[in-house]
Amino acid sequence: MDRNELFNHLTQLENNVNRIQEDMQALKSLTVALVEENVALQIENDNLKTLMNQEPDATPVERVSNEQEEEKTPQKKQLQSREYFATLYHEGFHICHDVFGKHRNGQDCIFCMNILNDKL
Ligand SMILES: [Zn+2]
């Protein structure tokens, strides 16, 4: 292998590494966007489930199961939402108003922490 060939080979390798790094960054951004969308959908789904359970005109079958759980529901629901916010924050997402559900990218957020301290 002559010197020219060696340098050409190194340049080619460098270009490949740079392209892989660009692909990696793009994949990272895409992953963050997908996870944020997943969190938003999960929250929407939970909200819809809660709304459905509160619906006064539930079908008889649903009413029976509602009545069975009626006594423990309020406290259980409050506890679930506290745990849910804490879990969401510890999984790396904002729970503060302005950027709710966005990824924190490893940064602590003082607004989220205020909410956590209020709720817990
Ligand atoms: Zn926040």
Side-chain angles (χ1 to χ4, degrees), residues 51-68:
L51 271 177
M52 276 173 68
N53 286 336
Q54 284 171 351
E55 193 65 52
D57 292 326
T59 63
V61 177
E62 283 170 334
R63 241 186 217 154
V64 169
S65 67
N66 279 350
E67 276 166 17
Q68 285 169 345

Side-chain angles (χ1 to χ4, degrees), residues 89 93-97 99 104 109-113:
Y89 185 78
F93 295 93
H94 284 281
I95 56 167
C96 59
H97 185 263
V99 284
R104 290 191 287 115
C109 173
I110 197 161
F111 303 109
C112 288
M113 279 152 78

Side-chain angles (χ1 to χ4, degrees), residues 12-53:
Q12 206 177 1
L13 267 179
E14 193 181 19
N15 289 339
N16 288 348
V17 168
N18 286 340
R19 216 181 48 230
I20 288 172
Q21 271 182 337
E22 283 169 20
D23 285 353
M24 194 69 207
Q25 284 306 315
L27 274 177
K28 256 171 83 175
S29 301
L30 184 65
T31 303
V32 168
L34 284 173
V35 171
E36 283 174 355
E37 189 186 359
N38 183 266
V39 166
L41 289 172
Q42 194 180 348
I43 291 164
E44 199 179 335
N45 192 29
D46 288 348
N47 286 341
L48 286 173
K49 277 183 189 167
T50 306
L51 271 177
M52 276 173 68
N53 286 336

Side-chain angles (χ1 to χ4, degrees), residues 82 85-86 89-90 95 109-120:
R82 283 178 185 175
F85 279 118
Y89 185 78
H90 290 300
I95 56 167
C109 173
I110 197 161
F111 303 109
C112 288
M113 279 152 78
N114 278 343
I115 291 171
L116 272 185
N117 290 336
D118 279 352
K119 285 193 178 289
L120 297 177

